[in-house]
Every structure is written in C-alpha cells, then in structure tokens.
Amino acid sequence: MQVNLADAMTLLNNGEVVAIPTETVYGLAADASNEAALLKIYATKQRPANNPLIVHIANIHQVSGYADEFSALAKKLAIAFWPGPFTLVLKAKPHVSNILRANAPTVALRVPAHPLTLQLLKESGLALAAPSANRYTQLSPTTAAHVENSLGKDIPVLDGGPCQVGIESTIVSVDGDQWQLLRHGMITEAQIEAIAGKPAQPLTQDIPKAPGQHLLHYSPRTPTRLFEAFADLQKYAQLHPHCAALLIGQSNTALHAQVHSAHCIALPSTPAQVAEHLYDALHRLDDLQASAILILLPPDQPAWAAIRDRLTRAGYQDAP
Ligand code: TXA
Ligand code: MG
C-alpha cells in the first residue's frame, strides 16, 4: 500500500512500521525509541530477536545520542562516507533499547543518502530503526513492488523508485582507533583503509558475528548454484532442463545465447552496475519457477567482494 511522506510520518509517529526507500535497499522502518514499534519490525520480518537493527539518522550530529564513544577514527569515516551506503557500529549509550541492539553492547548507525528518506528523518525528527524490508533470509527489496511481494500488500510503502546502489551498506565496527569490516558493501575495504590510514583488524571468532553472517541469507526460493567458470555452468545447464541463469561480470554477451535455457540475464560488467540490478535480476529469475538458478560469479577480486558475498550466501543452501 503506497503512502506519501505525510502519511509515513503519521504512521511512524503512531508506532507503526513503514517501508522506506534508501539508496541501498528498502528498509522496514519504525521509531527507534518505541519498543512496541521495534517489536513489530521483528514480527513482520519473522526475524530472530538476536539479530540487531540499524538506526538511520539524519546527520552526523545525532550520533552522540546513541553512541558512547565517537572516536576520531569513527568521525573521520562518518564524514567521508555519510550520507551513503556505510554503517558504523559503535559502543552504545546505556539507554539505547536492548530490543534494537539485541543485547549487544554496540549500536549500528547510518545516514542514508536517499532524498525522500532524508527528508522524512529531518522533518519527523525521528531516528528510524530499519532492517531490509523482506522476510528473514529472503532476497532484499530494491523496489516498492519487491517489498509488497515479500511482506504483503498491507505494508505501507513510501515509494522512492528503484534503489541506486542496490545492495546493503558496508558495515564497519570502530573501537577507539581500530576498525573491523563486518559486512562487505559498495564502499570497499580499500576505500575505508584509505580514509582510516590503516588496515582493518581481522575478525576473530569471539567477535559477535553480525550482518547477514547467517550463511543462508539473501536467498531466492529457487535452488541456486554458483559457478566460477562458464564452461561448468553450461555443462550443468545442458544436463538439467529448465534452468535459469545469471551471468555476471561478463562483457561477452554472446555467452548469453550459448546457455541452454530460455531464461538468462546478463548483467553489465562493472561492480556498481551489477550491484544496482542484482536483486531485481534475482527476483525476476526466482519468479520463473525454473528448476535452478545458475549463477556465473564475477572474478574473485576486491572490487567484487560485496557482490560475491551476497551471491555466496544466496547459493549456500545448495552448496555441495
Ligand atoms: O543498507 C543497509 O544496511 C540496509 C538499509 C535498509 O539501511 N539495512 C540492512 O539491514 O541491511 P539488515 O537488518 O538487513 O542488516 C543489518 C545487519 C544485520 O545483519 C545485523 O546483524 C547487523 O547489521 N547489525 C545491526 N546492529 C549491529 C550491532 N550492534 N553490531 C553488529 N552488527 C549489527
Ligand atoms: Mg537484510
């Protein structure tokens, strides 16, 4: 159900959830200070209570309302990448709801870059908790239609058009002058390292695993298989009828014609272009009710890390 900005604001002020556009994916938003509203997010998504939510804020000045420590390093990263597809995990102020942060000592914060949602944040004065607006483990939504397909027609959606970045934000935790990369995104590790002036600390076992760290995540309903080489994908398609295919990072669209399948999407060859269209392509292939979705992965290179991360999770259920 589409709503306008004024309706969205009223609903949020009344403790309801509203799907909102961001530059990454659509989020299912609620007033971050209203615990009953936060519980509605978990219930609507069927998301386990141990998976914390990102708080969306209008600007860098609101960080101090949530974070106990805003170190020089964290500030430098926020200035460099906000508004944008970048989330900072910082030590939380004690008052920050435990429902929001799932009892973690930290809180995740992001200033999104979508003009409509920035206007909503500014005019309402609310901070908005928002995970991606899809059911737990399913494909993330990058259009209002994706949201309605996943969560139903009754969900109020503020339609801001298709998301321009297309995959979820990069998540970085900062503790003093150290940083760790919790989730790959289109702001790359190299970009962050350049601003931080030092490499990420490695993730250790005892770090609470966060972002989509469940291996089965971002998944189509159709069984999904991943391939590093086109020849292997082609062989599989020849042996198994009714496959759909997604070819990534291939400039040669002649490959397209060779796939033994009527259903094939070839995405363009740069990481940014692929990210923008990735979830929509997966939604469309999933709707075909093919026997399998075969995905030709982009090269195992840093520029493709976020896209390989999402695809590896999409394909995990069917990994050998
Ligand atoms: O681009 C995005 O980040 C989108 C848009 C809507 O902003 N949001 C998004 O939210 O992807 P979600 O909930 O699907 O993924 C956020 C991830 C979760 O996997 C959660 O575990 C992690 O962020 N997270 C949230 N709070 C955290 C915290 N305090 N410490 C570590 N991880 C946290
Ligand atoms: Mg999600």
Side-chain angles (χ1 to χ4, degrees), residues 81-97:
F81 299 124
W82 284 349
F86 181 76
T87 296
L88 271 176
V89 170
L90 303 173
K91 193 168 179 299
K93 283 226 155 95
H95 77 84
V96 178
S97 164

Side-chain angles (χ1 to χ4, degrees), residues 40-313:
K40 286 182 192 167
I41 292 181
Y42 286 95
T44 306
K45 275 186 66 93
Q46 298 169 0
R47 177 181 177 111
N50 64 2
N51 197 357
L53 308 176
I54 296 174
V55 182
H56 297 70
I57 52 179
N59 58 57
I60 194 169
H61 306 296
Q62 294 180 339
V63 169
S64 56
Y66 296 86
D68 224 11
E69 183 196 53
F70 197 22
S71 67
L73 171 60
K75 214 167 278 172
K76 205 152 66 164
L77 296 175
I79 289 167
F81 299 124
W82 284 349
F86 181 76
T87 296
L88 271 176
V89 170
L90 303 173
K91 193 168 179 299
K93 283 226 155 95
H95 77 84
V96 178
S97 164
N98 267 316
I99 296 172
L100 180 80
R101 54 188 163 116
N103 296 314
T106 51
V107 61
L109 297 164
R110 168 164 120 80
V111 180
H114 196 288
L116 207 49
T117 287
L118 272 180
Q119 197 183 345
L120 176 65
L121 289 166
K122 282 178 189 151
E123 289 184 13
S124 70
L126 296 172
L128 296 174
S132 52
N134 54 292
R135 272 197 218 294
Y136 185 60
T137 78
Q138 289 184 355
L139 284 174
S140 295
T142 53
T143 65
H146 294 161
V147 176
E148 291 194 340
N149 288 342
S150 181
L151 297 179
K153 300 255 178 258
D154 292 342
I155 285 289
V157 185
L158 181 62
D159 190 348
C163 303
Q164 303 283 298
V165 173
I167 66 173
E168 300 83 352
S169 61
T170 306
I171 304 185
V172 162
S173 79
V174 178
D175 186 0
D177 62 356
Q178 304 291 339
W179 66 281
Q180 291 183 308
L181 182 63
L182 299 185
R183 178 172 71 186
H184 285 283
M186 293 313 288
I187 292 189
T188 64
E189 186 164 4
Q191 285 174 284
I192 301 163
E193 188 172 329
I195 301 291
K198 65 174 88 163
Q201 294 283 108
L203 287 180
T204 52
Q205 286 298 318
D206 53 338
I207 297 292
K209 292 221 172 161
Q213 296 302 353
H214 301 266
L215 267 174
L216 175 57
H217 215 91
Y218 314 113
S219 304
R221 294 172 306 252
T222 312
T224 302
R225 288 184 183 273
L226 308 177
F227 297 87
E228 298 282 355
F230 180 70
D232 295 334
L233 182 151
Q234 198 179 21
K235 214 177 293 165
Y236 189 97
Q238 278 158 1
L239 292 172
H240 300 82
H242 311 302
C243 286
L246 180 61
L247 307 179
I248 293 177
Q250 302 293 320
S251 46
N252 179 6
T253 44
L255 290 179
H256 202 135
Q258 293 177 43
V259 178
H260 182 72
S261 161
H263 308 304
C264 179
I265 296 177
L267 288 179
S269 52
T270 71
Q273 289 170 326
V274 170
E276 181 179 350
H277 300 290
L278 183 68
Y279 284 127
D280 187 59
L282 287 169
H283 279 284
R284 282 195 282 145
L285 293 172
D286 202 17
D287 289 344
L288 296 173
Q289 299 184 318
S291 62
I293 299 174
L294 314 183
I295 301 177
L296 181 60
L297 292 168
D300 191 0
Q301 293 164 358
W304 292 101
I307 287 160
R308 284 183 65 99
D309 170 79
R310 301 305 187 275
L311 290 171
T312 308
R313 292 174 202 286

